[in-house]
Amino acid sequence: MRFLIIDDDETVHMYLSKLLSPYARCEAVFNGNDAIDLYKKAHEENDPFDTVFMDILMPEMDGHEATKKLRALEKDLDIYGPDEFKLVMITSLKDTKNVSQAFFKGYASCYIVKPFNKVQVMSELRENNIL
């Protein structure tokens, strides 16, 4: 398995990479533009990401916009159904608008509110058949 972590906080990169590295190869970027570039490269190399961990509050392009662009890219690449990446939102935002947008427009598998801990992350990923 291969995971992409998109967050503008390096401590989140380090924490999730250490936690998840026994289960998948983890790569991390700081913004949506880099995520889109890395996602394209992964498909060109026939080594796609299974799961994307997406922060919402980021400079340049927020997580909702980055998700929208990644989902559009999937369609352009004729990726549908079980081949689509699973989306895990990782954010400090827990209001109804952001949660709804993540699930109904981004097709998120789960939504984990920061600050999070190992038990919380692992439980959500197992409950949603990501691990």
Side-chain angles (χ1 to χ4, degrees):
M1 270 197 296
R2 190 173 184 199
F3 292 166
L4 174 58
I5 302 162
I6 307 160
D7 198 301
D8 59 334
D9 185 344
E10 188 172 15
T11 59
V12 173
H13 292 191
M14 293 185 310
Y15 181 81
L16 287 176
S17 293
K18 183 175 181 180
L19 180 64
L20 301 171
S21 62
Y23 307 97
R25 292 176 292 135
C26 298
E27 294 188 50
V29 294
F30 291 99
N31 62 64
N33 290 322
D34 289 346
I36 292 164
D37 292 341
L38 191 55
Y39 184 86
K40 287 179 186 175
K41 183 180 177 194
H43 278 280
E44 288 168 3
E45 296 173 351
N46 201 29
D47 190 18
F49 291 100
D50 301 288
T51 303
V52 172
F53 293 78
M54 179 74 72
D55 185 18
I56 293 175
L57 296 174
M58 296 185 292
E60 298 176 34
M61 180 189 310
D62 72 21
H64 292 306
E65 184 64 23
T67 297
K68 182 179 176 182
K69 290 185 178 196
L70 287 172
R71 292 295 188 201
L73 184 56
E74 278 184 323
K75 301 307 174 233
D76 290 345
L77 295 168
D78 290 323
I79 299 168
Y80 296 98
D83 294 329
E84 294 174 343
F85 66 83
K86 292 187 180 193
L87 177 64
V88 177
M89 299 305 285
I90 49 170
T91 182
S92 59
L93 302 174
K94 54 185 173 182
D95 60 282
T96 304
K97 180 184 176 193
N98 279 293
V99 173
S100 294
Q101 187 170 352
F103 282 110
F104 297 113
K105 292 187 179 178
Y107 305 104
S109 296
C110 52
Y111 196 99
I112 303 173
V113 178
K114 296 176 187 175
F116 43 71
N117 61 46
K118 177 181 179 178
V119 172
Q120 183 183 13
V121 171
M122 298 306 285
S123 175
E124 282 289 325
L125 297 180
R126 286 187 178 113
E127 280 180 33
N128 291 285
N129 298 316
I130 294 171
L131 292 181

